[in-house]
Amino acid sequence: MTIDFDKGNGLVPAIIQDAATAKVLMLGYMNAEAYEKTVATGKVTFWSRTRNCLWTKGETSGHFLDVVSIANDCDNDTLLIKVTPHGPVCHTGTDTCWGEKNEGNPLLFLTELQDFINKRHEEMPEKSYTTSLFRDGINRMAQKVGEEALEAVIEAVNGTDERLIYEASDMFYHLIVLLTSKGMRIEQIAAELAERHRPGWAKH
């Protein structure tokens, strides 16, 4: 990786992002030595502009930032470092340096689930329920989506909120399996809904 430290008089900004939640946690600065130590140790190390020395985030508090990945931007002068944080990131005790809660959007799990089901489709491991659905074929998968949708409707009309969530979750899972079997992903559904939300969208 080529990093242009000269442009910023020896320093480049490093944006720190939670790898799991995608929340931006803080911004720090690195010189070449801080970057090399970060890569070598797997823990984010910055250059302190006030103390003029290296400092590894968490060396005092124990709230280290374990590196997951490092990416350079298009101008080679800004780093995006995805991490796993151990505790609050800000020195004030908040999760981020903007006072935000480091909470992920639960909808992001649908992509994680989609990736998992894709992997099942590729590997087809034995004794997997998902594998059995793929082996049963498109008719069975479509039937399961219909069955789970009906059960969700029944719970909505005559059941409990908890059971509605349970059955709706079953429906989503089987829908993703069905989409996967057709070479599609759940994100395509989200893209279609986003398109429908645009001003001037006309129903086909």
Side-chain angles (χ1 to χ4, degrees):
M1 183 185 298
T2 300
I3 303 172
D4 189 354
F5 290 103
D6 294 334
K7 190 182 295 185
N9 297 317
L11 297 177
V12 296
I15 301 165
I16 309 302
Q17 181 184 38
D18 190 308
T21 67
K23 182 73 73 175
V24 174
L25 303 176
M26 66 173 294
L27 173 70
Y29 289 85
M30 289 184 176
N31 60 8
E33 187 179 2
Y35 171 75
E36 290 166 4
K37 185 174 181 181
T38 296
V39 172
T41 64
K43 297 187 183 302
V44 174
T45 295
F46 298 107
W47 174 261
S48 172
R49 294 173 297 168
T50 54
R51 300 194 301 262
N52 289 316
C53 65
L54 294 178
W55 64 284
T56 298
K57 181 68 178 174
E59 60 190 1
T60 301
S61 65
H63 299 159
F64 293 101
L65 300 172
D66 291 343
V67 175
V68 174
S69 66
I70 301 177
N72 209 354
D73 79 339
C74 55
D75 292 322
N76 297 323
D77 61 3
T78 302
L79 298 175
L80 174 63
I81 304 179
K82 295 184 180 181
V83 304
T84 299
H86 295 274
V89 170
C90 186
H91 70 282
T92 63
T94 58
D95 288 351
T96 80
C97 287
W98 291 271
E100 299 176 309
K101 278 284 189 183
N102 184 18
E103 297 174 342
N105 184 340
L107 287 174
L108 295 176
F109 177 72
L110 289 177
T111 291
E112 185 177 337
L113 179 60
Q114 175 71 75
D115 291 339
F116 175 82
I117 291 173
N118 278 4
K119 189 174 182 181
R120 281 286 192 261
H121 193 219
E122 292 167 5
E123 298 177 353
M124 298 290 279
E126 296 295 333
K127 298 181 180 180
S128 162
Y129 175 66
T130 307
T131 297
S132 71
L133 288 171
F134 287 128
R135 286 181 173 161
D136 286 342
I138 191 73
N139 289 344
R140 177 56 177 159
M141 285 180 276
Q143 179 186 0
K144 285 297 295 181
V145 173
E147 289 175 357
E148 300 300 345
L150 178 58
E151 289 178 9
V153 169
I154 292 171
E155 292 298 333
V157 175
N158 294 313
T160 65
D161 291 348
E162 290 77 12
R163 290 298 303 179
L164 172 57
I165 293 297
Y166 185 90
E167 298 299 347
S169 298
D170 278 349
M171 182 186 69
F172 267 97
Y173 161 77
H174 287 91
L175 176 60
I176 294 175
V177 172
L178 177 62
L179 289 170
T180 303
S181 73
K182 301 286 287 184
M184 294 181 282
R185 291 180 60 93
I186 192 67
E187 291 91 345
Q188 290 174 258
I189 304 298
E192 171 66 18
L193 291 171
E195 180 63 28
R196 293 184 186 189
H197 191 64
R198 294 178 183 275
W201 176 81
K203 186 175 181 179
H204 302 311

